[in-house]
Amino acid sequence: FNVMREYAPCPHGAMAMLTINGVYWGVYSMVDQNNNDLLDDWFPSHEGDRWRAPNIGGGTGGGGGGGFASAASAFSYLGATASSYSNNYELKSDLTTNTWPRLINAINILNNTPVADRWDKVENVFAVDRWLWFLAVENLFVDDDSYWNKGADYAFYYEPESGRIHPVEHDGNESFTSAMGITSGLSPVQGSTGTNRPLLSKLLPIPELRQRYLAHMRTVLEERFNPTYLTPVINHYHRLTVADIITDPKKNFTMASYTNALVALRTYVTNRYKFLTNHVELRPLAPQIVAVNPPPTAPLPDEIPYITAQVAAVGTNGISSVWLYWRDKPYGRFSMAQMWDDGIHQDGAADDGLFGGATTNYPAGNKIHSYVEARSANPAKAAAYSPARAEQQTYSYRVTLTTATNTVVVINELMADNEATLADPQGEFDDWIELRNLSDHEVDLSGCYLTDEPNNPRKWAFPTNTIIGAGGFLIVWADEDGLATPGLHASFKLEKTGEQVLLIDTDANQNAVLDRVIFPTQKADRSFGRSPLDADRLILMQPTPGQPNTSISPDLTPLSFEH
C-alpha cells in the first residue's frame, strides 16, 4: 500500500500491536478505511459514487479468453440493463443521479468503441493514465486479489468534477503470490490478450497506451520495486514487529516458518525485479528527457505560452516524437500536442535536441499543469515521461493577472471584524465590502468578480444586472452565503488578521485587476477604508457604510496600505 499510494489512489498501511481489554492479541496490519476521508486525500471532493467490485467467486486468470465468473465484475459489457450489473458491483455511496446508466455507459464505451477512437472516447469516462499506474503496480506485486487476476476485490470512484472513473486500491493482502501458481514470473502484460479483463485487453493493444503502461512499470521498478529499496523496507518492518510477533498468542505459524518466509520475501523481490527488467516488453530503451522548461515569463491571458524540453536519444535509438500534455485544473483529462525541433516553435536551432510546443491561452489566475512524453524511434516506440510520475505529478505555471489602466469603481471600505456595526438582510453581523462608483453615470458590474485569492480571481461573480448608480455605493456581504437573498452575498469571508480583496474585471476584459486592497489586522467594529483626506490612502476608521468616508476615530492610528 505504501508503495502503491505513491502512484495511484490507495490507503496508507501500518503495523499495529493490538490489545483488547488489556489482553494482547498480537500484531496486525492496519490500513485507512476506504471511505470519504480517503477520497478527500485523492480527489477534489467525495461527492461522487464509490464502488467496490466484490469477489463473487471463481474468476481467476486475467490472461484467459473468457468464461470466468468474475469477468462480469471487471467492466465487461453485459448489455444496457442495470440488473445485469447490480450483483457484480457494490455501490458503497450514492451521491449523484443516473448512477447505473452512467456506469453502464462507461463500460459500453470501453468495450465497444472501435480501436481508432478508443483512447479518446475512453479518456472521457475513465481516468486512463491512473488506471495504467494502478494496473502496473498490481502486476508488479503479483496481487492475487486484484483486477488482473480475479477481476474483483478492487474499488473505483466516479469523480463528478471530471465525469471519469478512477481506481482505488482495496485489498492487497494476497500480494507476492497467485492462486494460478504464477509468482515472480508473471508477465508484465498479463491480461492484454484475453477478453475478460477489458481495461487490459482494450487499452494495452493501443501502442501508445501499452508503452505508457510499460513506462510506468519501469518507473516503479527504478524507484521502489527493487531490492535496493524494498529489502531495507522489509527489514524495517521485521525489526519493528519481530519481538511482538514472538509473543503473539494468536499466531498460527512457527517462528521457523516466519524466518523462512522472511528470506523468501526478500528473494521474491530480487527474482521479480530481475525477471521484469530482462523481459522483452521492458527492454526497449526510451529517450532521455533531460530538462523541461516552463514559459520564460508568466504568460498574460491573451498569450499562447510555449514549453520546451531537452530530449536526448539513448543508445542507437533515435527520437520518434515528443508530446506536450496540459490541463488548466488539477483534475480531468489533458489536452495534447506534438512538440517540434524545427527552429520555429521557440525551440532554438533546428535539430538541436530542444523541442518546443504550445499550450493555449487561459484566463488570468489559472494554474496550468503539464508534462512531456518522448517516444523512441525503436520498433516499440518506448516512451519516457517528465516528470516520471506523470500524470500524478506535473509541472505548472500560472497565467498572470493584469492591472487595469483605470477604473471608475473602487473598493471604498471594508469590515473584517463586524461584531455589532451593521447587520445583513438576514440579521447577521457578517463581514462586508463596500464599492463606490466614482463616475457620474451608472455602472453595470455584471460579469465582474470579487475575490480574496489572487490565484483564484473569479472566485465570486456579481449577478447579472448588478448596477451601481452614479456616485453610488454598493455593499457586498462576505459571508460564504452566495445563495442567500436578499442582498449580495460573496462566497468567501474576510480574515480579521489581515489579507487582501480584489475587484476583477470581466472575462472579456481578461480579468484585469480593477482595484486591490491589502489590509492589516483589524479591530472589532472598525472599518478599513479610503481616507477622507487622501483617497489614495486606506486607514482604520469609523465605519460609514453606504456613505462617503468622513469620520476618523481619534483612538485609531492611521496605517499605511497597498492597493
Side-chain angles (χ1 to χ4, degrees), residues 425-499:
Q426 289 72 37
E428 299 173 341
F429 290 94
D430 290 316
D431 304 337
W432 51 268
I433 301 162
E434 179 193 68
L435 304 180
R436 184 175 186 179
N437 181 359
L438 303 177
S439 73
D440 59 1
H441 55 83
E442 68 177 26
V443 175
D444 187 353
L445 293 174
S446 302
C448 293
Y449 302 88
L450 275 177
T451 183
D452 60 346
E453 295 182 59
N455 292 335
N456 185 11
R458 293 169 298 283
K459 192 169 187 178
W460 179 76
F462 285 90
T464 302
N465 296 322
T466 300
I467 306 296
I468 180 170
F473 300 86
L474 183 69
I475 296 291
V476 177
W477 299 97
D479 56 4
E480 294 183 342
D481 197 5
L483 299 179
T485 57
L488 296 175
H489 298 264
S491 59
F492 59 90
K493 294 183 178 181
L494 301 180
E495 178 54 64
K496 64 182 179 181
T497 57
E499 57 164 329

Coordinates of all heavy atoms in Angstrom, one line a residue, residues 425-499:
P425 N -29.2 41.6 5.6 CA -30.7 41.5 5.5 C -31.2 40.3 6.3 O -32.4 40.2 6.6 CB -30.9 41.3 4.0 CG -29.8 42.0 3.3 CD -28.6 41.7 4.2
Q426 N -30.3 39.3 6.6 CA -30.8 38.1 7.3 C -30.6 38.3 8.8 O -30.8 37.4 9.6 CB -30.0 36.9 6.8 CG -30.3 36.4 5.5 CD -29.9 37.3 4.3 OE1 -28.8 37.9 4.4 NE2 -30.7 37.5 3.3
G427 N -30.1 39.5 9.2 CA -30.0 39.8 10.6 C -28.7 39.4 11.2 O -28.5 39.4 12.5
E428 N -27.7 39.0 10.4 CA -26.4 38.5 10.9 C -25.3 39.6 10.7 O -25.3 40.3 9.7 CB -26.0 37.2 10.2 CG -27.0 36.1 10.4 CD -26.7 34.9 9.5 OE1 -26.0 35.1 8.5 OE2 -27.2 33.8 9.8
F429 N -24.4 39.7 11.7 CA -23.3 40.6 11.6 C -22.1 40.0 10.9 O -21.2 39.4 11.5 CB -22.9 41.1 13.0 CG -24.0 42.0 13.6 CD1 -25.0 41.4 14.4 CD2 -24.1 43.3 13.4 CE1 -26.0 42.2 15.0 CE2 -25.1 44.1 13.9 CZ -26.0 43.6 14.7
D430 N -22.1 40.1 9.6 CA -21.1 39.4 8.8 C -20.1 40.5 8.2 O -20.4 41.7 8.2 CB -21.7 38.7 7.6 CG -22.5 37.4 8.1 OD1 -21.9 36.7 8.9 OD2 -23.6 37.2 7.6
D431 N -19.0 40.0 7.7 CA -18.0 40.8 7.0 C -18.7 41.5 5.8 O -19.6 41.0 5.2 CB -16.8 40.0 6.5 CG -16.1 39.2 7.6 OD1 -16.3 39.6 8.8 OD2 -15.4 38.2 7.3
W432 N -18.2 42.7 5.5 CA -18.8 43.4 4.3 C -17.7 44.2 3.6 O -16.7 44.5 4.1 CB -20.0 44.3 4.7 CG -19.8 45.2 5.8 CD1 -20.1 45.0 7.1 CD2 -19.3 46.6 5.7 NE1 -19.8 46.1 7.9 CE2 -19.3 47.1 7.0 CE3 -18.8 47.4 4.7 CZ2 -18.9 48.4 7.3 CZ3 -18.4 48.7 5.0 CH2 -18.4 49.2 6.3
I433 N -18.0 44.4 2.3 CA -17.1 45.1 1.4 C -18.0 46.2 0.7 O -19.1 45.8 0.2 CB -16.5 44.2 0.4 CG1 -15.7 43.1 1.0 CG2 -15.6 45.0 -0.6 CD1 -15.4 41.9 0.1
E434 N -17.5 47.4 0.7 CA -18.3 48.5 0.1 C -17.5 48.9 -1.1 O -16.3 49.2 -1.1 CB -18.4 49.7 1.1 CG -19.2 50.8 0.5 CD -19.0 52.1 1.3 OE1 -17.9 52.6 1.4 OE2 -20.1 52.5 1.9
L435 N -18.3 49.0 -2.3 CA -17.7 49.5 -3.5 C -18.3 50.9 -3.7 O -19.4 51.2 -3.3 CB -18.1 48.6 -4.7 CG -17.7 47.1 -4.6 CD1 -18.1 46.4 -5.8 CD2 -16.2 47.0 -4.4
R436 N -17.5 51.7 -4.4 CA -18.0 53.1 -4.7 C -17.8 53.4 -6.2 O -16.8 53.1 -6.8 CB -17.3 54.1 -3.9 CG -17.8 55.6 -4.2 CD -17.2 56.6 -3.2 NE -17.8 57.9 -3.4 CZ -17.5 59.0 -2.7 NH1 -16.5 58.9 -1.8 NH2 -18.1 60.1 -2.9
N437 N -18.8 53.9 -6.8 CA -18.8 54.4 -8.2 C -18.3 55.8 -8.2 O -19.0 56.7 -7.8 CB -20.2 54.2 -8.9 CG -20.2 54.7 -10.3 OD1 -19.2 55.1 -10.9 ND2 -21.3 54.5 -11.0
L438 N -17.1 56.1 -8.8 CA -16.6 57.4 -8.8 C -17.1 58.3 -10.0 O -16.8 59.5 -10.0 CB -15.1 57.4 -8.9 CG -14.4 56.6 -7.8 CD1 -12.9 56.5 -8.0 CD2 -14.7 57.2 -6.4
S439 N -17.9 57.7 -10.9 CA -18.3 58.4 -12.1 C -19.6 59.0 -11.9 O -20.3 58.8 -10.9 CB -18.3 57.4 -13.3 OG -19.4 56.5 -13.1
D440 N -20.0 59.8 -12.9 CA -21.3 60.4 -13.0 C -22.4 59.7 -13.8 O -23.4 60.2 -14.2 CB -21.2 61.9 -13.5 CG -20.6 61.9 -14.9 OD1 -20.4 60.8 -15.5 OD2 -20.5 63.0 -15.4
H441 N -22.1 58.4 -14.0 CA -23.0 57.5 -14.7 C -23.1 56.2 -14.0 O -22.1 55.7 -13.3 CB -22.6 57.4 -16.2 CG -21.2 56.9 -16.4 ND1 -20.9 55.5 -16.3 CD2 -20.1 57.5 -16.6 CE1 -19.6 55.3 -16.5 NE2 -19.1 56.5 -16.7
E442 N -24.2 55.5 -14.2 CA -24.3 54.2 -13.5 C -23.4 53.2 -14.2 O -23.0 53.3 -15.4 CB -25.7 53.7 -13.5 CG -26.3 53.3 -14.9 CD -27.7 52.7 -14.8 OE1 -28.4 53.1 -13.8 OE2 -28.1 52.0 -15.7
V443 N -22.9 52.1 -13.4 CA -22.0 51.1 -13.9 C -22.6 49.7 -13.7 O -23.1 49.5 -12.6 CB -20.6 51.2 -13.2 CG1 -19.7 50.0 -13.7 CG2 -20.0 52.5 -13.5
D444 N -22.6 48.9 -14.7 CA -23.1 47.5 -14.6 C -21.9 46.6 -14.3 O -21.0 46.5 -15.0 CB -23.8 47.1 -15.9 CG -24.4 45.8 -15.8 OD1 -24.3 45.1 -14.8 OD2 -25.1 45.4 -16.8
L445 N -22.0 46.0 -13.1 CA -20.9 45.1 -12.7 C -21.1 43.6 -13.1 O -20.4 42.8 -12.7 CB -20.8 45.1 -11.1 CG -20.3 46.5 -10.6 CD1 -20.3 46.4 -9.0 CD2 -18.9 46.8 -11.1
S446 N -22.1 43.4 -13.9 CA -22.4 42.0 -14.4 C -21.1 41.4 -15.0 O -20.5 42.1 -15.9 CB -23.5 42.0 -15.5 OG -24.7 42.6 -14.9
G447 N -20.7 40.2 -14.6 CA -19.6 39.6 -15.2 C -18.3 39.9 -14.5 O -17.2 39.3 -14.8
C448 N -18.3 40.9 -13.6 CA -17.1 41.2 -12.8 C -17.1 40.3 -11.6 O -18.0 39.6 -11.3 CB -17.1 42.7 -12.3 SG -17.0 43.9 -13.7
Y449 N -15.9 40.4 -10.8 CA -15.7 39.4 -9.7 C -15.2 40.1 -8.5 O -14.5 41.1 -8.6 CB -14.8 38.3 -10.2 CG -15.2 37.5 -11.4 CD1 -14.8 37.9 -12.6 CD2 -15.9 36.3 -11.2 CE1 -15.2 37.2 -13.8 CE2 -16.2 35.6 -12.4 CZ -15.9 36.0 -13.6 OH -16.2 35.3 -14.7
L450 N -15.4 39.5 -7.4 CA -14.7 39.8 -6.1 C -14.0 38.5 -5.7 O -14.5 37.4 -5.8 CB -15.6 40.3 -5.0 CG -16.0 41.7 -5.0 CD1 -17.0 42.0 -3.8 CD2 -14.8 42.7 -4.8
T451 N -12.8 38.7 -5.1 CA -12.0 37.6 -4.6 C -11.1 38.0 -3.5 O -10.7 39.2 -3.4 CB -11.2 36.9 -5.8 OG1 -10.6 35.7 -5.3 CG2 -10.2 37.9 -6.3
D452 N -10.7 37.0 -2.7 CA -9.7 37.3 -1.7 C -8.4 36.4 -2.0 O -7.5 36.3 -1.2 CB -10.2 37.0 -0.3 CG -10.6 35.6 -0.1 OD1 -10.8 34.8 -1.1 OD2 -10.8 35.1 1.1
E453 N -8.4 35.8 -3.2 CA -7.3 35.0 -3.7 C -6.8 35.4 -5.0 O -7.6 35.2 -6.0 CB -7.7 33.5 -3.7 CG -8.1 32.9 -2.4 CD -8.4 31.4 -2.5 OE1 -7.6 30.7 -3.0 OE2 -9.5 31.0 -2.2
P454 N -5.7 36.0 -5.2 CA -5.2 36.4 -6.5 C -5.1 35.3 -7.5 O -5.2 35.5 -8.7 CB -3.8 37.0 -6.2 CG -3.8 37.4 -4.7 CD -4.7 36.4 -4.1
N455 N -4.8 34.1 -6.9 CA -4.7 32.9 -7.8 C -6.1 32.3 -8.2 O -6.2 31.3 -8.9 CB -3.9 31.8 -7.2 CG -2.4 32.2 -7.1 OD1 -1.9 33.1 -7.8 ND2 -1.7 31.7 -6.1
N456 N -7.1 32.9 -7.7 CA -8.5 32.5 -8.0 C -9.3 33.7 -8.2 O -10.2 34.1 -7.5 CB -9.1 31.6 -6.9 CG -10.5 31.1 -7.2 OD1 -10.9 31.1 -8.4 ND2 -11.2 30.5 -6.2
P457 N -9.0 34.5 -9.3 CA -9.6 35.8 -9.5 C -11.1 35.8 -9.7 O -11.8 36.8 -9.5 CB -8.9 36.4 -10.7 CG -8.3 35.2 -11.4 CD -8.0 34.2 -10.4
R458 N -11.6 34.6 -10.2 CA -13.1 34.5 -10.5 C -13.8 33.8 -9.4 O -14.8 33.0 -9.6 CB -13.3 33.8 -11.8 CG -12.8 34.6 -13.0 CD -12.7 33.9 -14.3 NE -11.8 32.7 -14.2 CZ -10.5 32.8 -14.3 NH1 -9.9 34.0 -14.4 NH2 -9.8 31.7 -14.2
K459 N -13.4 34.1 -8.1 CA -14.0 33.3 -7.0 C -15.5 33.6 -6.8 O -16.3 32.7 -6.6 CB -13.2 33.7 -5.7 CG -13.5 32.8 -4.6 CD -12.5 33.0 -3.4 CE -12.7 32.0 -2.3 NZ -11.7 32.2 -1.2
W460 N -15.9 34.9 -6.9 CA -17.3 35.2 -6.8 C -17.7 36.2 -7.8 O -17.1 37.2 -8.0 CB -17.6 35.7 -5.4 CG -19.1 36.1 -5.2 CD1 -20.1 35.2 -5.0 CD2 -19.7 37.4 -5.3 NE1 -21.3 35.8 -5.0 CE2 -21.1 37.2 -5.1 CE3 -19.2 38.6 -5.5 CZ2 -22.0 38.3 -5.1 CZ3 -20.1 39.7 -5.5 CH2 -21.4 39.5 -5.3
A461 N -18.7 35.8 -8.6 CA -19.2 36.7 -9.7 C -20.4 37.5 -9.3 O -21.3 37.0 -8.6 CB -19.5 35.8 -10.9
F462 N -20.4 38.8 -9.7 CA -21.6 39.6 -9.5 C -22.7 39.1 -10.3 O -22.5 38.7 -11.5 CB -21.3 41.0 -9.9 CG -20.4 41.8 -8.9 CD1 -19.0 41.8 -9.0 CD2 -21.0 42.5 -7.8 CE1 -18.2 42.4 -8.1 CE2 -20.2 43.2 -6.9 CZ -18.8 43.1 -7.1
P463 N -23.9 39.0 -9.8 CA -25.1 38.5 -10.5 C -25.3 39.5 -11.7 O -25.0 40.6 -11.7 CB -26.2 38.6 -9.5 CG -25.5 38.5 -8.2 CD -24.3 39.3 -8.4
T464 N -26.0 38.9 -12.7 CA -26.4 39.7 -13.9 C -27.3 40.9 -13.4 O -28.1 40.8 -12.5 CB -27.2 38.9 -14.8 OG1 -26.4 37.8 -15.2 CG2 -27.6 39.7 -16.1
N465 N -27.0 42.1 -14.0 CA -27.8 43.3 -13.8 C -27.5 43.9 -12.4 O -28.4 44.4 -11.7 CB -29.3 43.1 -14.0 CG -29.6 42.8 -15.4 OD1 -29.0 43.3 -16.3 ND2 -30.6 41.9 -15.6
T466 N -26.3 43.7 -11.9 CA -25.8 44.3 -10.7 C -25.4 45.8 -11.0 O -24.3 46.0 -11.6 CB -24.7 43.6 -10.0 OG1 -25.1 42.3 -9.7 CG2 -24.2 44.3 -8.7
I467 N -26.2 46.7 -10.7 CA -26.0 48.1 -11.1 C -25.6 48.9 -9.9 O -26.2 48.8 -8.8 CB -27.3 48.7 -11.7 CG1 -27.8 47.8 -12.9 CG2 -27.0 50.2 -12.2 CD1 -26.8 47.7 -14.0
I468 N -24.5 49.7 -10.0 CA -24.2 50.7 -9.0 C -24.3 52.1 -9.6 O -23.8 52.4 -10.7 CB -22.7 50.4 -8.5 CG1 -22.3 51.4 -7.4 CG2 -21.7 50.4 -9.6 CD1 -21.0 51.1 -6.7
G469 N -25.2 52.9 -9.0 CA -25.6 54.2 -9.5 C -24.5 55.2 -9.6 O -23.4 55.0 -8.9
A470 N -24.7 56.2 -10.3 CA -23.7 57.3 -10.4 C -23.3 57.8 -9.1 O -24.2 58.2 -8.3 CB -24.2 58.4 -11.3
G471 N -22.0 57.8 -8.7 CA -21.6 58.3 -7.4 C -22.0 57.5 -6.3 O -21.9 57.9 -5.1
G472 N -22.6 56.3 -6.5 CA -23.2 55.5 -5.5 C -22.3 54.5 -4.8 O -21.2 54.3 -5.2
F473 N -22.9 53.8 -3.9 CA -22.2 52.8 -3.1 C -23.0 51.4 -3.2 O -24.2 51.4 -3.4 CB -22.2 53.2 -1.6 CG -21.5 54.5 -1.4 CD1 -22.2 55.7 -1.5 CD2 -20.1 54.6 -1.1 CE1 -21.6 56.9 -1.3 CE2 -19.5 55.8 -0.8 CZ -20.2 57.0 -1.0
L474 N -22.2 50.4 -3.0 CA -22.8 49.0 -3.1 C -22.1 48.1 -2.0 O -20.9 48.1 -1.9 CB -22.6 48.4 -4.4 CG -23.2 47.0 -4.7 CD1 -24.7 47.1 -4.7 CD2 -22.7 46.4 -6.0
I475 N -23.0 47.5 -1.2 CA -22.5 46.6 -0.1 C -22.5 45.2 -0.6 O -23.6 44.7 -1.0 CB -23.3 46.8 1.2 CG1 -23.1 48.2 1.8 CG2 -22.8 45.8 2.2 CD1 -21.7 48.5 2.3
V476 N -21.4 44.4 -0.4 CA -21.4 43.0 -0.7 C -21.0 42.3 0.7 O -20.0 42.7 1.3 CB -20.4 42.6 -1.7 CG1 -20.3 41.1 -1.9 CG2 -20.7 43.3 -3.1
W477 N -21.9 41.4 1.1 CA -21.6 40.7 2.3 C -20.7 39.5 2.1 O -20.9 38.6 1.3 CB -22.9 40.2 2.9 CG -23.9 41.3 3.2 CD1 -24.9 41.7 2.4 CD2 -23.8 42.1 4.4 NE1 -25.5 42.8 3.0 CE2 -24.9 43.1 4.2 CE3 -23.0 42.2 5.5 CZ2 -25.1 44.1 5.1 CZ3 -23.3 43.2 6.4 CH2 -24.3 44.1 6.3
A478 N -19.5 39.5 2.8 CA -18.5 38.5 2.6 C -18.8 37.4 3.7 O -18.2 37.4 4.8 CB -17.1 39.0 2.8
D479 N -19.8 36.5 3.4 CA -20.3 35.6 4.5 C -20.4 34.2 4.0 O -21.0 33.3 4.7 CB -21.6 36.1 4.9 CG -22.7 36.2 3.8 OD1 -22.3 35.9 2.6 OD2 -23.8 36.6 4.1
E480 N -19.8 33.8 2.8 CA -19.8 32.5 2.3 C -21.2 32.0 2.1 O -21.5 30.8 2.2 CB -19.0 31.5 3.2 CG -17.5 31.7 3.3 CD -16.8 30.7 4.2 OE1 -17.5 30.0 5.0 OE2 -15.6 30.6 4.0
D481 N -22.1 32.9 1.9 CA -23.6 32.5 1.7 C -24.1 33.0 0.4 O -25.0 33.8 0.4 CB -24.3 33.1 2.9 CG -25.7 32.4 3.1 OD1 -26.0 31.4 2.3 OD2 -26.5 32.8 3.9
G482 N -23.4 32.6 -0.7 CA -23.7 33.2 -2.0 C -25.1 33.0 -2.5 O -25.5 33.8 -3.4
L483 N -25.9 32.1 -2.0 CA -27.3 31.9 -2.5 C -28.3 32.6 -1.7 O -29.5 32.6 -2.0 CB -27.6 30.4 -2.5 CG -26.7 29.5 -3.4 CD1 -27.1 28.1 -3.3 CD2 -26.7 30.0 -4.8
A484 N -27.9 33.3 -0.6 CA -28.9 34.0 0.3 C -29.5 35.1 -0.5 O -28.9 35.8 -1.3 CB -28.2 34.4 1.5
T485 N -30.8 35.4 -0.2 CA -31.5 36.5 -0.7 C -32.3 37.1 0.4 O -32.8 36.4 1.3 CB -32.4 36.2 -1.9 OG1 -33.3 35.1 -1.4 CG2 -31.6 35.7 -3.1
P486 N -32.5 38.4 0.5 CA -32.0 39.4 -0.5 C -30.5 39.8 -0.1 O -30.0 39.2 0.8 CB -32.9 40.6 -0.3 CG -33.3 40.5 1.2 CD -33.5 39.0 1.5
G487 N -30.0 40.7 -0.9 CA -28.6 41.2 -0.7 C -27.6 40.4 -1.6 O -28.0 39.4 -2.2
L488 N -26.4 41.0 -1.7 CA -25.3 40.4 -2.4 C -24.4 39.7 -1.4 O -23.9 40.3 -0.5 CB -24.5 41.4 -3.2 CG -25.3 42.1 -4.3 CD1 -24.4 43.2 -4.9 CD2 -25.7 41.1 -5.4
H489 N -24.3 38.4 -1.6 CA -23.5 37.6 -0.6 C -22.4 36.8 -1.3 O -22.7 35.9 -2.1 CB -24.4 36.6 0.1 CG -25.5 37.2 0.9 ND1 -25.4 37.5 2.3 CD2 -26.7 37.7 0.5 CE1 -26.5 38.1 2.7 NE2 -27.4 38.2 1.6
A490 N -21.2 37.2 -1.0 CA -20.0 36.6 -1.7 C -19.7 35.2 -1.1 O -20.2 34.8 0.0 CB -18.8 37.4 -1.5
S491 N -18.9 34.4 -1.8 CA -18.6 33.0 -1.5 C -17.4 32.9 -0.6 O -16.8 31.8 -0.4 CB -18.4 32.2 -2.7 OG -17.4 32.7 -3.5
F492 N -17.0 34.0 0.0 CA -15.8 34.0 0.9 C -16.1 34.9 2.1 O -16.9 35.8 2.0 CB -14.6 34.3 0.2 CG -14.6 35.7 -0.5 CD1 -14.1 36.8 0.2 CD2 -15.0 35.8 -1.8 CE1 -14.1 38.0 -0.4 CE2 -15.0 37.1 -2.4 CZ -14.6 38.2 -1.7
K493 N -15.3 34.7 3.1 CA -15.3 35.6 4.3 C -13.9 36.4 4.3 O -13.0 36.0 3.6 CB -15.5 34.9 5.6 CG -16.8 34.2 5.7 CD -17.0 33.6 7.1 CE -18.4 33.0 7.3 NZ -18.6 32.3 8.6
L494 N -13.8 37.4 5.1 CA -12.6 38.1 5.3 C -11.9 37.7 6.5 O -12.5 37.3 7.5 CB -12.9 39.6 5.3 CG -13.6 40.3 4.1 CD1 -13.8 41.8 4.3 CD2 -12.8 40.0 2.8
E495 N -10.6 37.7 6.5 CA -9.8 37.2 7.6 C -9.4 38.5 8.5 O -8.7 39.4 8.0 CB -8.5 36.5 7.2 CG -7.6 36.1 8.3 CD -8.3 35.2 9.3 OE1 -8.8 34.1 9.0 OE2 -8.4 35.7 10.5
K496 N -9.9 38.5 9.7 CA -9.6 39.7 10.5 C -8.2 39.9 10.9 O -7.8 41.0 11.3 CB -10.5 39.7 11.8 CG -10.2 38.6 12.8 CD -11.1 38.7 13.9 CE -10.9 37.6 14.9 NZ -11.9 37.6 16.1
T497 N -7.3 38.9 10.7 CA -5.9 39.1 10.9 C -5.2 39.7 9.7 O -4.0 39.9 9.8 CB -5.2 37.7 11.3 OG1 -5.5 36.8 10.3 CG2 -5.8 37.2 12.6
G498 N -6.0 39.9 8.7 CA -5.4 40.6 7.5 C -5.3 39.7 6.3 O -4.9 38.5 6.4
E499 N -5.6 40.2 5.1 CA -5.5 39.6 3.9 C -5.7 40.6 2.8 O -5.3 41.8 2.9 CB -6.4 38.4 3.7 CG -7.9 38.7 3.8 CD -8.8 37.6 3.3 OE1 -8.4 36.9 2.4 OE2 -9.9 37.4 3.9

